Amino acid sequence: MSRAGQIAELARSQWAVVESLAVKDRTKLHALAGLTALALARPCDPWDLVGIPLIVASLLLRTWALGCVSKNRVLCTWGPYRYTRNPLYVANLIGAMGLCVG
């Protein structure tokens, strides 16, 4: 294999690692990004004090919901799925409300 071919193969393998981390751990990355943004934020409006807890609740609900699911195995009827059919949609709605309010 030529040198260029080796470099291309190495780049593909490194990209595959980054891609697999981004796909497998995307919820953790979203939570980390959200919490980082909240840590760096400086609330100046009283409505921010309403929006920030909604965003945090949204992240926590998403993490809880994704932790309860086992794909292609069993229908999930525990955790947040006990209360709603799709808690990820509910979490997205709560997060959107937090962004709109804050």
Side-chain angles (χ1 to χ4, degrees):
M1 182 181 289
S2 70
R3 179 78 175 146
Q6 290 174 342
I7 292 173
E9 185 62 33
L10 179 63
R12 275 195 294 275
S13 67
Q14 289 177 345
W15 179 251
V17 169
V18 170
E19 185 179 27
S20 74
L21 285 175
V23 170
K24 290 179 183 175
D25 295 332
R26 67 180 177 264
T27 299
K28 293 175 188 171
L29 292 173
H30 286 144
L32 180 64
L35 292 174
T36 301
L38 288 174
L40 297 175
R42 293 192 178 112
C44 57
D45 188 22
W47 283 105
D48 290 342
L49 299 176
V50 175
I52 289 173
L54 287 173
I55 294 169
V56 170
S58 167
L59 290 171
L60 292 174
L61 181 58
R62 285 187 61 84
T63 304
W64 183 30
L66 290 171
C68 290
V69 129
S70 56
K71 290 186 177 184
N72 300 326
R73 292 193 185 153
V74 175
L75 178 64
C76 185
T77 57
W78 58 89
Y81 292 90
R82 183 180 338 156
Y83 305 108
T84 180
R85 180 178 281 185
N86 198 333
L88 296 175
Y89 286 168
V90 174
N92 288 343
L93 176 66
I94 291 170
M97 289 188 317
L99 288 173
C100 290
V101 169

